[in-house]
Amino acid sequence: MRFAHFYLLVGLLLAVSPFEVKYVNIGQSITLPCSGEPDRVVEWHFKQPVLPDWLLVAKLHTGPISPGPGFQGRVESVCEEQPGNYSLVLSPVMYDDLGIYECRDKHGSILSDVKLHISDPVSVSIAVGMSASLPCYGGISKRARAVDLDILWKRDGKMVYQLYNNTITYGPGFESRASVSPEQALHGNLSLTIKQTRFSDQGHYQCFYSSPKESGNPDSARLHVTDPPPQILTVKAGEELSVLLRTTDPVRVTFTGPGLDEVLMVDANEGPVTYGEQCGQRCEVLGQENTFLLRRVTLEDAGVYTVTDSETVISIVCLHVSGLPPSEEGTVERHSGGQVTKFSTVALVITGMVAVVMLMVIALFHQSLCNQDKNIKSYQAAREADRETQPIPEATAFPVSETEPSEAFVKCESS
């Protein structure tokens, strides 16, 4: 009877003892308040609801803080700088840290007690195409093995992901996109990761574990999928543009250029993929990579590419094309298939003028050499005639040199 009365008394004391309740998210920091007379030796103790024993969290005294087992490197105190302030900072908070904390002096008197709860789940908002993490934690046994894990996630009452007996089962549409880390699950982290989120992923998710099924903590989360922010890309002329479609559902890709209306690039609906005229032979949809490719990008491909799924915008890509100096941006005009069809008029005029000048110079030089040859021959013939009619005295004669003509002259003759 004495034991019964003792436990009844303890229960009544606990019932009337006002715990200070603190809410925290896993991975964040929390300050557990405690104050008393300066220069005391104070200990923080911790108890989980499912365990009968109190565990030492930290011992505060005139020297450095002494953390207990499992809390090394995660507790801090300000009592050295602020005598009488025995508050304890716990960071980062783990799921196993949830429970009751007591601040006691060396005589065992309780200075403060705090009950630590996980915060109520907030809605998770993520842009379409990004990875989303939905938090959930559970009391997994320290002796559990991977084969013992039994984890279930549902969305709006339908299965999304299940890990049971080392076997993974996916709900429709979540194949290879939903996952739970078995290594983290053994430490109580049952959070669900969804890769490449879609608008259809939006909804209310619930987390369960062990058998019979127990709700995780938090036991639910609401996922909101928002419109994507525009993605700005710069591609060099002649290279390829790669756009992630982010969905395996029917999808369309459209293009809007400066001063142009929206035109169809790709329509990957039921049946064969349809490509628009803007593509020519340059577009391709890679099913396995879930990607749209535009090869041999030209200056005219600069603009906005919009990916839609059932008339809902999935992604927006703003494309800038670089690779040519501003003064030469109009020198090459490309059409479907990337074939060069017209050079700039300015470039052609300049090239033609240079060619004409060069031809004129060559012609004038050729004519000059030919005229020089004729003058020499005429002069030689005249001198021979003068010698026959009026011989010139030897002292005043001007003989003409009989040297070979120059190389340029020979070439002019041969031409």
Side-chain angles (χ1 to χ4, degrees), residues 22 41-42 68 72 86 100 102 115 132 134 144-145 163 171 176 214 233 245 287 325 347 364 377 394 397 399:
K22 290 280 188 178
V41 176
V42 171
Q72 296 92 338
Y86 302 108
I100 301 172
E102 283 188 351
K115 191 170 185 179
L134 306 180
R145 301 169 301 167
L163 173 61
S176 301
E214 298 181 30
L233 297 179
L245 299 180
L364 290 173
K377 289 182 178 180
E394 292 183 5

Side-chain angles (χ1 to χ4, degrees), residues 90-319:
L90 177 60
S91 177
V93 175
M94 299 181 179
Y95 184 74
D96 289 345
D97 296 334
L98 303 183
I100 301 172
Y101 290 80
E102 283 188 351
C103 177
R104 309 171 184 170
D105 63 15
K106 64 179 180 179
H107 303 294
S109 299
I110 298 176
L111 303 179
S112 71
D113 47 15
V114 181
K115 191 170 185 179
L116 198 59
H117 278 291
I118 191 170
S119 295
D120 291 335
V122 295
S123 297
V124 176
S125 182
I126 195 73
V128 65
M130 305 300 290
S131 294
S133 180
L134 306 180
C136 178
Y137 302 88
I140 304 299
S141 170
K142 294 289 186 181
R143 298 179 180 178
R145 301 169 301 167
V147 70
D148 300 323
L149 293 175
D150 183 3
I151 303 168
L152 174 65
W153 275 92
K154 293 182 178 182
R155 187 201 67 196
D156 298 332
K158 297 180 180 180
M159 186 186 70
V160 171
Y161 174 96
Q162 184 174 27
L163 173 61
Y164 175 71
N165 197 24
N166 263 354
T167 301
I168 298 176
T169 305
Y170 298 99
F174 290 93
E175 294 83 356
S176 301
R177 293 196 304 124
S179 63
V180 173
S181 170
E183 294 79 11
Q184 292 294 322
L186 290 174
H187 296 285
N189 186 351
L190 316 178
S191 300
L192 178 72
T193 299
I194 302 176
K195 298 187 298 183
Q196 298 179 4
T197 52
R198 308 169 183 173
F199 285 103
S200 57
D201 295 336
Q202 193 164 267
H204 182 255
Y205 289 75
Q206 291 178 291
C207 171
F208 304 91
Y209 72 98
S210 81
S211 183
K213 299 296 182 186
E214 298 181 30
S215 295
N217 185 9
D219 61 356
S220 63
R222 179 164 291 278
L223 177 63
H224 295 274
V225 182
T226 62
D227 291 336
Q231 182 183 10
I232 301 176
L233 297 179
T234 299
V235 176
K236 290 183 178 181
E239 296 185 351
E240 69 178 24
L241 167 68
S242 176
V243 178
L244 186 63
L245 299 180
R246 305 184 188 279
T247 180
T248 56
D249 296 332
V251 65
R252 287 165 53 92
V253 180
T254 58
F255 167 74
T256 306
L260 299 177
D261 294 331
E262 187 177 48
V263 298
L264 176 68
M265 297 293 287
V266 170
D267 187 355
N269 210 315
E270 297 180 1
V273 178
T274 303
Y275 297 99
E277 294 182 0
Q278 183 79 9
C279 278
Q281 303 298 320
R282 300 178 298 147
C283 295
E284 185 179 1
V285 173
L286 304 180
Q288 293 183 344
E289 290 80 6
N290 207 19
T291 302
F292 163 71
L293 290 183
L294 176 62
R295 297 186 174 90
R296 300 184 297 279
V297 168
T298 71
L299 295 174
E300 287 124 352
D301 294 325
V304 179
Y305 293 80
T306 305
V307 182
T308 58
D309 173 13
S310 302
E311 304 303 325
T312 303
V313 176
I314 296 177
S315 64
I316 299 174
V317 176
C318 301
L319 175 65

